[in-house]
């Protein structure tokens, strides 16, 4: 293949889509960060941010290869095929006339891998050791996400000759990752929350979101980025991308409005946290379906998610697990709604003939969807359990009770999220952690100073 | 009439509130404060610069009480707020010349 | 038409532009949200966010069809033609060689419809019932925006055979929506503010913006998104888009600097709220003009807006209406400046021959611009008045005085924007609003507990 | 050239990249703004924002022409060639088949010019007169940035016939601006900080970042925008852009992780400010190198920057200059790491044959890189010194001590960043600065009012 | 010398300030507080979890006064702050041993 | 037992803290306040509307002390906090009936 065959328009769209999807992880950091108490906002954000670092590196080393390398029995790709990105330069992928550089596809999918892992962190707010999260994120990416992405996203002959079993054998539709990403992360969140245990005071102490403007910022940027996620998954600037774009708009609208109606009816008031949550629930639900349903179908799917998810939130109180920021209620439930709904709403003219139940297609596709969804859920749950237990009984998953009371920002990161006070709360020592120790500067040590007067001048 | 002021751990406030309410105290005023004392502060590090933060978040509770109830209220607060670790805080009592309920202009014990 | 004729580069640009324009509504939510007092930040944001839900759904149901369906006497499009998006799949629009999927155009224009409605909310900060806003937004979109968009944006033969009267008969230039969006929203804001009445304490109590970093975030994201708004309106990646891009940059720069100069001279200090406001004023003013003037003309238009808008702000004190966040001063005035300035600055070589007054074109185009501007203003004012009165005398427009004093966040949404306190202000009851009531969990009810000691353990 | 030769895909990519790069300056405003104390957050942001206004205007007037006009001995472009954008309409640039409108390139480069100037402001936090910053930004853009950009970015025959000396004679690689932007701004920051002097209380008083969520927002948006910066510098949607995209991802990942490791080892905790700083350091370092190294090389360069930059931060304590937000430590050091590392890691197959030391290319390219880097550094340092001294001895650089203690937000901008209080701190006078004085409204003047009762009603 | 402390509605602060200034009080210190008493708090709901927030925002005003003026100042505050609804707040007065103006080291009534 | 309350410039807090610590005071409680007095506030302007903000940020320091040490502590605070400019603040002293250390239930001078 030569550079001449590259379609610059399609490439431009996937390039910007990749950047949009990458933005979703900081957006998630704000969405999650605003929901916790102010004493753990930094830790909450850091779990997403550090995941961007870890997964990016794993991805170019061997992760992309595990997901898109030539398949070993449909289960996992050959980790060596593209190790360290070898063999990806000057290569194009895609249908004739619409080819894009393989490296652009690598980047686009990297952003998916990152956010899948970061999503899980919502379950563990306020109480997980940061070191344990780093180990968890690494293991979970390698053992759970890379294989699952292979199952769902690796189509035969696209990057490598043979791809994953759900995409090619089961033939479940999952356009942009309802199974590999949302069901996967949601199932992991459930298991991890169970192993980790509840936050201190869960169910008795108020744990209000500390900054709802930050939550809304996260939701707004997520919506924006999700156009790259869904419409970018067309891997070209074409009518399919346009359909996915519109569906990403209206399903989200439907879910948000439905969530607000549920709240109004049940709790008495429509809330901004509800709107933000509804946005995310709608985006999750339309993710697998965005290219296989009509805009009216998308509204229906969104509305379903906007009803099912808020109702599902009470499950955590019922069953007593503490999925702090409702990854299960939003991503697992929303992902299931969307993935299964394809079996109901798929329109033959959009899918190349396969129609859902409501469009006269019978139960077959619904069955395929269910297999895809539950396979990922089961695998994710099981392997997550093993990883979580392994960490628990080695380095430990959870911070000490004292640290949890003080807040993980200070104890894990030695930082404080906000300091709006005009009162300069003083400190005895401000000291440079020196690095180049040739001629040490003397830190001002107030304990040895002898007169208030002198100090007053220095600290003026 | 007495004014009872208590400096307590911020996380224990709910417990104190409940205890006081159960004892029959119908009102209190709370504000935020920072204490510096035996309890060690923490260290923060920003870009390699280390700050020792000596001031620790505390809740400040003020309760107006009649003379006879004051001692018992101090007792209730101490019982509720005691965890046994450094930083549990202080309670002090002072005598007031006058208390007025703004809404009704009632004064003295009636105003409490 | 076949898929082969689609231009992927143009499609990519309109796809991403659509996402950029969509981002502008959350951006507006932050811009507005930061300006109110902290007790109504959530309500302020929610008016924008819920509008995204409502208008998106209306748009695919019949709104797009009302705006771009075949015209009924140039006044409104046939609402049934594309109802529920029928007939939009596999269709391309645009000039030969530069066609894009119709669905992509639908999405792009959807984002315009959303923000036009959301803009109005700035006038009603702190005091409008959320339910009344929902009704208002719905009616206003249907009765005012969809027709006005038809007048201005529906060119004969682009989507449907016959389009709107301003675009095709009056031939006023409005590249990206100075009339249909900004003048329209500004006029509606004025009328709605008048019907609604002033905020309690207006003119006597300080009402400082509670978070200027949020305002600046909104302004920054608006500027970013506006490149999609203006340059995206070229509906292709071409030189026209490039010109619109540059003009969107420099007009905004000019307006911001002019606003700061006005402040420095008049008030003594250039402010960050002034810079943010100047950015928006410049963006508004260049919106209609961005493809018909040179960069030097754009600087002039920006500077005009940056002078006219801050001077216009005092109108609200003069005339005693309380347009809380100055939608009139910024969008109506800025929109008028930009729309009329085309009649002065239009350059013949860019417009296909039609020149403005300063480029030797006489008063003709200025007249056309004035007709377009005032037609939209009058129509918007009148219909808005009817809608506002209808709501006022049915469900009511305004919250109670008590609720306004407490703040609409708590009374309308049962939420609090921020909780930075380390003091865990306690609550007697933390209770799950249960949904799946099979085995009810018992909420901790402190009123029935018997000993502080026991409680202490529980709430630890 | 005719419009038919324009490549819409390439144009789309550069258009959106330009918008992405433009977003980086508001992002920088948040990144910097979050790091200062709350009493100067607005001033910190305003320095970036006003720079957007100033440099945009300069750019279209003559700045673009100074950078890309026909060269005067390789040192500066002819300022009149494209003055006021004349001669840029309907012109295309770029290789055959991949041409884009010249105006799009103008816009893309405008965003570079803006951020280069804004970067410097990090050094002067809390204490510089706003008027002095405006003068400095103007002079520095004209005298330092426009020439330096010419040296590095103006290739012979791209826009004008003859370009700058570093690009064409020295042939140092600098794909997206490690020298012209980061080394340049970093050197200027050092000199300006020295001339300006230290903040009051530097080294003795705690100066904690007041809002780390704002810092993280800035870092997240910077990363997002930087894909436009680096991958957009390919000036087309192609494999080179794909490579730059991936490298921008993984170098940043490497730098962030390395910075966190340094912190963990040295200070005991990995911090969120460290992660945000590591992100920026990695982005800076990969900027010049993103198209000439493999992803593995990019990880190495990122890691180097992630180690070198945090170690370099202590230089300011060692040498006693107060570069408040570490522009030197991050941009100068990061820029040097990236620019020189090209001499080590450049891969022949990516650069058209020129290989770095580690890829068998000897010391030659390293030498070229060093010449480029130090030439810009020396020029920037020298001219910045002259500008800074000129301002110091005319209008003065620094606010008064009283103003610095009160905080520059109030004294320079008459504003307060945040007001979260529910206590409506009152004011004697709320007064409109009137503009249209026909019928003056009487401001409520409490000093002349006679009875509390009356007031109570009015201020209710 | 007396210290007068008043807990009032946050929105009424401006009125009280003006009233005090008109009476001739030249200084006061204000801080934020939260009160729990007869006035009912509000309910917040986050993702279906309902919180009852009992603590209500209040402003806390402290005024130093000479013995003779203290009663009148209490009066002025009460008049200005009274709206007649529950939550109007409390005023209390205590006796001080000493007052010092830091700037001049003046003490006693001169320092007020 | 005495309670010493000081209203000082927020930026001088560190100096006062150090001075008190050197004198041997082992604990104090600090909170944020806003003062209105002789010191002039500042003006803010938002979109052409001018607000005069009369209230100025202050730090409020409370120190419990035994009767004999109280005077000296007032002295130490005043010395440390004095800059000589308007706005330096006030210190006042009141007598307490009782002080309790919550952790140990010690009372009186032992509790300080
Ligand atoms: N002398 C004092 N004056 C005022 N407040 C004090 C004093 N000593 C302690 N406090 C307050 O009491 C809090 C707890 O004091 P600390 O000595 O840490 O614990 P403990 O009461 O268990 O000895 C401090 O944070 C401070 O707010
Ligand atoms: N016993 C008390 N001790 C301390 N503060 C009190 C007490 N009772 C009331 N307050 C304060 O006064 C405020 C108003 O009290 P509330 O009983 O609601 O109104 P009212 O004064 O009209 O009876 C409360 O919010 C609280 O801050
Ligand atoms: N009468 C008063 N009652 C309570 N606080 C006061 C009084 N007078 C002054 N203050 C407090 O002291 C601070 C400093 O007072 P000010 O008159 O400005 O300075 P100075 O103490 O130098 O005369 C004020 O901001 C206020 O907080």
């Amino acid at each position: 293949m030569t550079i001449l065959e590259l379609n610059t328009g399609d490439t431009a769209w996937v390039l910007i889509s990749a950047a949009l999807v990458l933005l979703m992880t900081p957006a998630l950091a704000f969405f999650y960060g605003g929901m916790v108490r102010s004493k753990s906002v930094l830790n909450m954000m850091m779990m997403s941010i550090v995941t961007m670092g870890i997964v990016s590196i794993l991805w170019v080393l061997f992760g992309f290869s595990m997901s898109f390398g030539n398949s070993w029995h449909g289960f996992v790709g050959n980790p060596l095929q593209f190790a360290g990105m070898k063999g990806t330069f000057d290569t194009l992928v895609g249908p004739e006339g619409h080819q894009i550089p393989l490296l652009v596809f690598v980047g686009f999918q990297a952003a998916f891998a990152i956010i899948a892992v970061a999503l899980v962190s919502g379950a563990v707010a306020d109480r997980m050791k940061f070191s344990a999260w780093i180990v968890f994120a690494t293991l979970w990416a390698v053992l759970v996400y890379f294989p699952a992405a292979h199952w769902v996203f690796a189509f035969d002959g696209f990057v490598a000759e043979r791809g994953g079993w759900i995409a090619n054998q089961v033939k479940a539709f999952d356009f942009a990752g309802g199974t590999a990403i949302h069901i996967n992360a949601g199932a992991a969140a459930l298991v991890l929350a169970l192993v980790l245990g509840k936050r201190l005071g869960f169910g008795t102490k108020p744990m209000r979101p500390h900054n709802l403007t930050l939550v809304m910022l996260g939701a707004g940027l997520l919506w924006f980025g999700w156009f790259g996620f869904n419409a970018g998954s067309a891997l070209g600037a074409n009518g399919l991308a346009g359909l996915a774009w519109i569906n990403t708009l209206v399903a989200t609208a439907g879910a948000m409005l439905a969530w607000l109606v549920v709240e109004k009816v049940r709790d008495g008031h429509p809330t901004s946290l509800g709107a933000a949550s509804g946005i995310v629930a709608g985006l999750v639900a339309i993710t697998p379906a965005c290219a296989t349903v009509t805009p009216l179908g998308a509204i229906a799917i969104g509305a379903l998610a906007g009803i099912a998810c808020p109702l599902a939130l009470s499950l955590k109180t019922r069953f007593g697990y503490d999925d702090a920021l409702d990854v299960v209620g939003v991503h697992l439930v929303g992902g299931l709604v969307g993935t299964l709904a394809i079996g109901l709403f798929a329109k033959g003219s959009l899918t190349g003939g396969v129609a859902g139940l409501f469009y006269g297609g019978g139960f077959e596709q619904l069955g395929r969807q269910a297999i895809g969804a539950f396979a990922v859920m089961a695998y994710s749950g099981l392997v997550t359990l093993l990883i979580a237990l392994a960490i628990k009984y080695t380095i430990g998953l959870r911070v000490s009770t004292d640290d949890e009371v003080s807040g993980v920002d200070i104890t894990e990161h030695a930082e404080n999220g906000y300091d709006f006070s005009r009162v300069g709360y003083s400190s005895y020592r401000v000291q440079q952690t020196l690095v180049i120790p040739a001629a040490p500067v003397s830190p001002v040590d107030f304990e040895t100073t002898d007169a208030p007067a002198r100090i007053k001048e220095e600290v003026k | 009439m007495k004014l009872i002021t208590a400096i307590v751990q911020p996380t224990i406030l709910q417990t104190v509130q409940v205890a006081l309410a159960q004892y029959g105290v119908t009102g209190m005023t709370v504000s935020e404060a920072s204490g510096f004392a035996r309890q060690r502060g923490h260290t923060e590090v920003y870009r390699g610069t280390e700050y020792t933060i000596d001031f620790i978040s505390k809740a400040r509770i003020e309760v107006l009480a009649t003379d006879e109830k004051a001692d018992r209220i101090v007792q209730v607060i101490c019982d509720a707020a005691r965890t046994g670790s450094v930083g549990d805080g202080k309670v002090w009592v002072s005598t007031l010349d006058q208390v007025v309920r703004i809404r009704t202009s009632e004064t003295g014990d009636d105003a409490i």
Side-chain angles (χ1 to χ4, degrees), chain A, chain B:
Chain A
M1 305 172 191
T2 74
I3 194 83
L4 290 174
E5 295 177 38
L6 177 150
N7 184 309
T8 56
D10 292 329
T11 303
W13 176 237
V14 184
L15 274 170
I16 183 60
S17 291
L20 287 172
V21 183
L22 194 86
L23 180 65
M24 288 170 64
T25 302
L28 185 76
F30 307 136
F31 181 67
Y32 279 172
M35 263 190 266
V36 297
R37 285 164 292 172
S38 69
K39 67 181 178 180
S40 44
V41 54
L42 300 180
N43 176 258
M44 196 69 243
M45 297 199 304
M46 276 298 275
M47 288 194 276
S48 287
I49 299 297
V50 81
T51 300
M52 299 179 77
I54 296 167
V55 178
S56 297
I57 304 277
L58 293 176
W59 189 249
V60 302
L61 291 185
F62 56 81
F64 174 72
S65 210
M66 280 180 70
S67 294
F68 291 97
N70 214 5
S71 191
W72 180 77
H73 298 294
F75 178 73
V76 69
N78 175 358
L80 301 178
Q81 187 169 358
F82 303 108
M85 295 290 100
K86 75 163 186 274
T88 60
F89 305 95
D90 296 327
T91 308
L92 302 180
V93 292
E96 211 184 312
H98 290 280
Q99 293 201 309
I100 62 172
L102 177 52
L103 270 179
V104 173
F105 181 71
V106 171
F108 183 61
Q109 284 290 339
F112 279 65
I114 290 168
I115 195 161
V117 182
L119 282 173
V120 182
S121 66
V124 303
D126 293 359
R127 61 200 189 286
M128 190 166 179
K129 283 164 98 170
F130 188 59
S131 57
W133 170 259
I134 288 177
V135 174
F136 178 84
T138 307
L139 292 178
W140 196 84
V142 175
L143 301 179
V144 182
Y145 180 75
F146 296 159
H150 180 72
W151 302 357
V152 175
F153 293 138
F155 285 91
D156 287 351
F158 189 78
V159 175
E161 205 178 319
R162 277 171 297 118
W165 69 281
I166 293 183
N168 300 293
Q169 272 82 59
V170 178
K171 294 186 194 299
F173 289 124
D174 183 358
F175 193 66
T179 53
I181 292 180
H182 297 288
I183 292 177
N184 195 356
L190 176 57
V191 171
L192 189 57
L194 282 167
V195 177
L196 191 61
K198 303 178 202 178
R199 284 167 292 175
L200 287 179
F202 173 64
T204 55
K205 271 188 92 160
M207 297 176 176
R208 296 195 282 181
H210 86 284
N211 188 343
L212 284 167
T213 64
L214 199 58
V215 172
M216 198 54 93
L217 170 63
L221 291 180
L222 278 171
W223 199 345
F224 175 58
W226 223 295
F227 288 108
F229 203 89
N230 286 354
S233 289
L235 296 181
N238 49 40
L240 196 63
L243 177 64
W245 200 104
I246 288 284
N247 285 344
T248 303
L249 179 72
V250 295
T252 309
M256 182 220 295
L257 296 180
W259 192 301
L260 292 178
V261 169
V262 168
E263 285 194 333
K264 176 76 191 170
V265 170
R266 185 186 64 181
D267 312 329
H269 295 90
T271 70
S272 69
L273 181 59
S277 309
I279 287 171
V280 176
L283 290 165
V284 168
I286 200 60
T287 292
C290 59
T292 44
V293 301
T294 65
L296 295 182
I299 295 176
I301 291 177
L304 277 178
I307 293 167
C309 293
L311 296 186
L313 295 188
S314 63
L315 289 173
K316 78 174 175 191
T317 321
R318 285 265 293 135
F319 294 112
Y321 62 90
D322 181 11
D323 167 22
L325 309 183
D326 298 309
V327 186
V328 176
V330 175
H331 294 274
L332 180 54
V333 174
L336 284 171
V337 166
T339 302
L340 297 179
I342 295 173
L344 306 176
F345 292 99
K347 188 158 181 213
S349 63
L350 299 170
T351 58
V354 181
L357 189 61
F358 296 173
Y359 288 80
F363 283 94
E364 188 184 328
Q365 189 59 31
L366 189 57
R368 294 177 185 281
Q369 297 300 121
I371 294 174
F374 292 107
V376 170
M377 192 161 86
Y379 177 76
S380 174
L382 191 73
V383 182
T384 304
L385 181 64
L386 298 177
I387 297 173
L389 290 175
I391 298 175
K392 181 169 180 173
Y393 293 113
T394 51
I395 63 170
L397 277 174
R398 200 165 168 152
V399 300
S400 71
T401 303
D402 272 5
D403 284 5
E404 191 176 338
V405 170
S406 302
V408 279
D409 282 3
I410 282 173
T411 61
E412 293 291 286
H413 304 290
E415 293 179 300
N416 210 333
Y418 306 94
D419 177 8
F420 294 124
S421 168
R422 297 269 155 166
V423 175
Y425 286 111
S426 66
S427 65
Y428 269 126
R429 274 173 301 128
V430 177
Q431 196 168 344
Q432 291 289 331
T433 308
L434 282 182
V435 178
I436 302 171
V441 288
S442 56
V444 178
D445 186 341
F446 287 113
E447 276 158 303
T448 65
T449 53
D450 46 4
R454 199 177 83 76
I455 293 156
K456 187 161 54 177
E457 239 141 64
E458 272 176 356
V459 298
K460 176 61 197 292
Chain B
M1 298 136 296
K2 302 287 180 185
L3 173 67
I4 300 152
T5 304
I7 308 294
V8 302
Q9 300 280 21
T11 46
I12 213 76
L13 173 64
Q14 184 176 3
T15 313
V16 175
Q17 181 206 3
V18 171
L20 284 171
Q22 282 174 349
Y23 175 70
V25 170
T26 54
M28 72 188 78
T29 300
V30 177
S31 52
E32 293 178 52
S34 298
F36 156 68
R38 212 157 310 166
Q39 190 186 6
R40 286 207 40 214
H42 63 272
T43 298
E44 297 179 8
V45 189
Y46 297 101
R47 285 193 169 164
T49 303
E50 202 175 304
Y51 301 132
T52 308
I53 312 293
D54 296 319
F55 286 93
I56 296 162
S57 267
K58 297 285 165 192
R60 184 179 202 283
I61 307 174
E62 285 168 308
V63 185
L64 298 167
T66 54
D67 292 0
E68 56 271 26
K69 283 194 172 177
D71 278 358
R72 187 71 185 100
I73 289 177
V74 171
Q75 193 61 42
V76 168
I77 294 175
C78 288
D79 285 354
R82 189 177 302 117
T83 67
S85 38
V86 168
D88 273 357
K90 293 273 200 297
V91 181
W92 61 79
V93 183
S94 62
T95 302
L96 299 178
D97 302 344
Q98 181 62 290
V99 177
V100 186
R101 167 173 288 124
I102 294 176
R103 175 167 50 88
T104 58
S105 301
E106 286 162 288
T107 56
D109 282 0
D110 295 343
I112 291 171

